[in-house]
Amino acid sequence: MKILKLPKQQLDYFASVLQQFGEVHAPVKRQGKYVFARLDRWSDAVLEYNRTILPPKKYLLPPRETMFCYRRGTGYAPASENLDRKIVLFGVHSCDIYGINILDEVFAGKYPDPYYRTRRDNLTIIGIDCTPDEHCFCRSMRADFVDHGFDLFLYDIGDYYLTFVGTARGDDMVLASKTLFEPVTREDIDEYKRRSEAKRRAFQLDVEIRDLPEIFEMEYHADIWEELGKRCLSCGSCSMVCPTCYCYDVVDEVELGSRDGRRVRCWDSCLFSSHALVAGGENFRESRASRIKFRFYHKQRGFVAEYGRPSCIGCGRCIEACPVKIDIVEVLKMLRGAEDGATA
Amino acid sequence: MPLTQGPVPPATVLIVDDDWDFRESLGSYLKMNGLRVVQASDGREGVRLAMAERPDVIVMDIMMNERTEGLFALQSIRRTAALRDTAVIVVSSLYADAAGFSISPERAWMGQDEFIAKPVDLTRLLDSIKAHVSRRGEQVAVQERKEEA
């Protein structure tokens, strides 16, 4: 892997050069929170942020998208709404890149989704290191460092960003920037290691996940699921903000008075009461307890069986978004019996 | 064929520059030469006015409130369907002032149609603007002929 360094004072020039590769989007502040949005001036970018409201999945799986239109007489027309839009996403945290890597496995792996694949090919990712806050537990989920999934990754080492080049496109961006990048020195490497160690020590949350699938297996009938079911509002906020929740619903929207229409897919949540409702009125997960249990089992156990790792990345968004303060770290600790009132 | 044939309106030039003196002096010079001029003092206002006024040519500075502001404004223009084909002449001293930023403006990586370094030669700039206006007129005529056919 090629490693260079970029002076911080040249970052705005670098961002300008990046515009050759697509629209530059970055975290910007809106009403006290952060969102990924298109920049129309560099000073809007906020590179020291905790987390965005929505993760980068919104660029790959839009909350609502038309898959195709159908019209009597002309037949089907595939939708290409914004599919060719090239975007450079600047300032993505390692946990969010880890989340994209998980989505890649689901949507660009064994059963590739053409819409996702096209958007993914058109998305350039420039990662940036971060400082964990009170809701971050990505280190527990092994998502505090990524070795792939980015085109470039920037690590703050003082006056410079140590820059890991992850792909050929990343290398093209470095080459297009001519003299902006400089070679790395011994002092830069030592500074990187010092800051990396400091970050490791900064995590306030820690949860052991090694034998978690087995504990989930044993605690399938634990009281905690009923207790959580009583608290959960089934609002789906946790799913919406989750970088790896990818459930969607597909509906045909038929125009009034005709048989023409469009097929649309939009975000769904396993916490919604209609999620497991099937024709005939049968609902496989009618109670809220069964739905929240399903969400935890899918993320922490089912995904491990399928892909060898949990699909939770420890970003803390669900903790922040939950209106009734259901805290995934507390739930996992209770399941492990690490805190009082643990299990049945 | 239009029903009435009125006088041809003057071509519009949008000047985007944070330097009031530069905008005013260039604006007066262009008006004296029969052009209509609108002015914006920063990139965002420039993009907004470009959408509202649909100028024939945009004269864009780069280093304004921020030193890369014009580069971002230019990209917004290039990525807006209604403005994508508008001629943009970058008039800047970026490459004289920016230490360590050695990417040649002659390469069209910024998305400009032409680069003219400051201090600007007004006669050359006027010739360039007229050339772009004339080219745009030809493009519009071709488009209209296509639509009529």
Side-chain angles (χ1 to χ4, degrees):
Chain A
M1 180 182 280
K2 190 192 270 189
I3 302 175
L4 297 156
K5 67 176 179 180
L6 174 67
K8 278 185 177 174
Q9 59 176 9
Q10 303 283 43
L11 205 56
D12 55 346
Y13 283 146
F14 178 56
S16 304
V17 174
L18 289 179
Q19 301 198 75
Q20 296 172 75
F21 297 85
E23 293 172 20
V24 179
H25 291 229
V28 299
K29 201 163 190 177
R30 298 256 170 90
Q31 296 174 341
K33 301 261 185 184
Y34 301 97
V35 296
F36 283 114
R38 180 178 157 184
L39 296 180
D40 55 13
R41 62 170 55 160
W42 174 247
S43 62
D44 287 346
V46 184
L47 298 181
E48 286 183 19
Y49 68 103
N50 50 10
R51 60 185 64 75
T52 52
I53 298 173
L54 288 181
K57 80 173 174 186
K58 70 176 182 179
Y59 290 101
L60 300 165
L61 297 167
R64 179 186 163 84
E65 70 176 325
T66 300
M67 302 171 81
F68 55 80
C69 298
Y70 47 90
R71 201 156 288 280
R72 208 158 39 157
T74 54
Y76 294 90
S80 53
E81 205 179 346
N82 289 330
L83 275 178
D84 59 348
R85 197 173 163 206
K86 291 192 187 304
I87 292 175
V88 178
L89 196 52
F90 199 110
V92 186
H93 289 165
S94 57
C95 60
D96 277 342
I97 295 174
Y98 196 94
I100 292 172
N101 290 343
I102 287 173
L103 293 179
D104 283 350
E105 289 202 41
V106 177
F107 287 94
K110 202 171 169 187
Y111 305 106
D113 176 291
Y115 303 92
Y116 180 94
R117 281 285 295 269
T118 308
R119 288 198 171 91
R120 183 69 181 89
D121 289 344
N122 286 330
L123 185 68
T124 299
I125 295 171
I126 301 186
I128 196 155
D129 201 20
C130 54
T131 306
D133 74 356
E134 73 275 16
H135 294 318
C136 293
F137 60 106
C138 58
R139 180 162 168 73
S140 301
M141 291 297 167
R142 317 283 191 264
D144 56 329
F145 176 83
V146 275
D147 59 5
H148 70 287
F150 56 84
D151 295 286
L152 295 174
F153 202 104
L154 311 181
Y155 288 93
D156 187 346
I157 53 165
D159 293 335
Y160 291 88
Y161 284 110
L162 200 70
T163 307
F164 287 17
V165 182
T167 61
R169 192 189 291 166
D171 199 38
D172 288 344
M173 291 188 287
V174 169
L175 293 174
S177 308
K178 298 276 180 188
T179 54
L180 292 185
F181 285 86
E182 299 173 21
V184 170
T185 63
R186 179 74 247 168
E187 289 71 31
D188 298 327
I189 295 167
D190 290 342
E191 183 61 16
Y192 166 80
K193 289 196 282 191
R194 196 188 66 73
R195 286 174 183 250
S196 176
E197 182 57 32
K199 180 182 171 181
R200 263 197 288 277
R201 282 197 298 264
F203 281 95
Q204 301 167 41
L205 291 178
D206 180 39
V207 58
E208 177 58 68
I209 63 162
R210 229 176 318 178
D211 54 352
L212 209 53
E214 287 71 23
I215 290 177
F216 268 79
E217 193 70 42
M218 291 184 277
E219 295 291 12
Y220 193 77
H221 297 291
D223 289 344
I224 187 175
W225 305 119
E226 288 301 324
E227 288 160 18
L228 287 173
K230 284 176 192 160
R231 282 170 64 193
C232 177
L233 303 176
S234 285
C235 66
S237 296
C238 52
S239 305
M240 300 299 133
V241 301
C242 177
T244 63
C245 271
Y246 50 76
C247 282
Y248 58 81
D249 194 10
V250 177
V251 289
D252 281 357
E253 294 181 347
V254 185
E255 291 169 13
L256 281 175
S258 79
R259 295 171 72 182
D260 303 338
R262 63 179 64 189
R263 182 160 294 177
V264 172
R265 71 172 171 185
C266 47
W267 289 359
D268 200 355
S269 168
C270 57
L271 293 164
F272 292 162
S273 58
S274 59
H275 188 262
L277 179 67
V278 296
E282 183 63 36
N283 193 335
F284 295 103
R285 285 187 292 276
E286 201 157 18
S287 72
R288 279 181 292 166
S290 66
R291 294 199 292 274
I292 193 165
K293 180 160 88 171
F294 174 80
R295 184 167 190 274
F296 272 90
Y297 271 75
H298 182 226
K299 289 207 159 302
Q300 308 291 349
R301 189 191 170 283
F303 213 87
V304 180
E306 186 69 26
Y307 295 102
R309 59 188 181 190
S311 68
C312 174
I313 60 163
C315 67
R317 283 188 179 90
C318 57
I319 302 173
E320 206 171 71
C322 181
V324 293
K325 307 286 175 221
I326 292 175
D327 182 329
I328 181 173
V329 175
E330 279 176 20
V331 173
L332 296 182
K333 283 186 172 175
M334 284 166 80
L335 276 171
R336 299 197 69 89
E339 286 186 357
D340 288 343
T343 58
Chain B
M1 195 71 166
L3 291 174
T4 55
Q5 190 78 54
V8 180
T12 302
V13 178
L14 168 63
I15 305 170
V16 186
D17 200 303
D18 61 333
D19 183 343
W20 185 87
D21 290 336
F22 178 78
R23 284 199 318 268
E24 283 298 310
S25 57
L26 177 60
S28 301
Y29 179 71
L30 296 180
K31 280 179 198 165
M32 267 168 42
N33 284 279
L35 295 161
R36 179 174 167 262
V37 174
V38 279
Q39 299 182 15
S41 60
D42 65 42
R44 273 183 187 155
E45 193 190 355
V47 175
R48 190 187 61 75
L49 270 180
M51 276 303 285
E53 299 284 343
R54 304 295 165 94
D56 298 275
V57 178
I58 299 172
V59 175
M60 175 77 74
D61 186 20
I62 296 298
M63 300 165 93
M64 292 185 265
N65 298 321
E66 291 177 24
R67 61 182 187 171
T68 56
E69 190 159 328
L71 296 171
F72 278 83
L74 188 43
Q75 285 302 318
S76 290
I77 287 165
R78 288 292 177 247
R79 293 184 199 286
T80 303
L83 303 174
R84 192 168 293 148
D85 300 325
T86 307
V88 180
I89 302 172
V90 169
V91 177
S92 171
S93 57
L94 173 67
Y95 297 91
D97 292 359
F101 192 58
S102 58
I103 306 171
S104 164
E106 300 312 319
R107 291 169 60 210
W109 65 272
M110 298 186 292
Q112 82 277 22
D113 291 281
E114 195 173 346
F115 180 91
I116 297 178
K118 279 184 180 174
V120 70
D121 174 347
L122 286 180
T123 315
R124 186 195 157 188
L125 180 56
L126 180 65
D127 288 345
S128 290
I129 290 171
K130 282 180 175 171
H132 286 293
V133 168
S134 156
R135 209 168 300 145
R136 186 173 169 82
E138 285 164 17
Q139 285 166 353
V140 171
V142 169
Q143 187 62 32
E144 279 174 358
R145 278 200 294 276
K146 269 187 196 166
E147 283 169 10
E148 279 171 15

